[in-house]
Amino acid sequence: MNEPQVAAAEKSHGTVELRIPSKAEWVAVARLTVAAIANRLPFSVEDIEDLKLAIAEACTYVIQAGGLSDTIDITCESGVDHLTIRVRDGGAIRPDSSLRRPSGGSIEGLGIFLIQALMDDVQHTPDGDSRGELIMTKRVGS
Amino acid sequence: MDIKVNVRESDHDAYVVELGGEIDVYTSPKVKDAITELIDQGHYNLVINLEKVRYIDSTGLGVLIGGLKRVREHGGSVSLVCTNPQIRKIFDITGLVKIFGIYDDEADAQKALV
């Protein structure tokens, strides 16, 4: 990043927490919130679209898998040159979820595969109480 | 959040499903219903126009894949119209460019069905 970009990004440093009902009609709220946060960093339009799709896929996975919670907790940590999104999944996302590209028109695993493809770093951390956390990071200019 | 679905018969013995807006886990059932209704009526050659679609996720892709599988069972096909680079990128990443015919305009998409 050049100096003006770094200065702008430093002003955008912060954490935003969002809790949405674990229902399809609320996924757009998560998507738009992440887009608004990403827009404060010097991400390209394409990167912001990637982030929107990644958060939507994470929420959709949780909803469709039927987690243990009625809500999805999302934390967005805005750094100088990156955005990290943590999704508390209520135990819906299995650590062994396939991250391979689906073949032959298979739908299974498509959402998780897209997250992996669009974000720079994706981790899943089961925390022992059945509420795992999906942590995904996108870096500016990557 | 919105989704617009417009179904019309084309001049080439096919039906065009014109979609507009955002296709996600909330709106994709409406798209699925439209495609399913056409197939149930015996229309197996479909052009799905994504020109006015601003956003699509895996549930939307799943609906398109499901429709394609059903029409193929009857010897039909699905052609997509898409010029939005972000959406085309998703088809590229997922490898669905190898499954669907994706065209820049409806005329080419309809020709591919014949």
Side-chain angles (χ1 to χ4, degrees), chain A residues 31, chain B residues 2-3 19-25 27-28 31 50 53 55-61 63-64:
Chain A
R31 204 164 67 223
Chain B
D2 63 315
I3 181 72
L19 304 174
E22 300 176 343
I23 308 174
D24 70 359
V25 64
T27 61
S28 59
V31 178
L50 304 173
V53 172
Y55 172 90
I56 189 167
D57 70 5
S58 65
T59 58
L61 297 178
V63 168
L64 299 180

Side-chain angles (χ1 to χ4, degrees), chain A residues 105-124:
Chain A
S106 171
I107 302 167
E108 191 178 357
L110 204 54
I112 294 292
F113 170 78
L114 277 170
I115 293 171
Q116 180 79 358
L118 298 173
M119 301 295 280
D120 293 315
D121 187 44
V122 181
Q123 297 175 43
H124 180 260

Side-chain angles (χ1 to χ4, degrees), chain A residues 31 49-50 56-57 101 105, chain B residues 22 24 55 58 65 86 89:
Chain A
R31 204 164 67 223
E49 289 299 319
D50 291 349
E57 293 296 350
R101 179 154 84 176
Chain B
E22 300 176 343
D24 70 359
Y55 172 90
S58 65
I65 294 166
Q86 188 66 25
K89 174 181 160 183

Side-chain angles (χ1 to χ4, degrees), chain B residues 12 81 105-112:
Chain B
H12 298 80
V81 180
D105 56 55
E106 267 186 27
D108 285 346
Q110 290 183 8
K111 282 178 199 167

Side-chain angles (χ1 to χ4, degrees), chain A residues 72-93:
Chain A
I72 304 171
D73 293 334
I74 301 159
T75 303
C76 298
E77 298 167 356
S78 174
V80 174
D81 62 352
H82 68 277
L83 180 61
T84 295
I85 305 170
R86 298 170 179 269
V87 180
R88 297 268 288 176
D89 64 18
I93 299 176

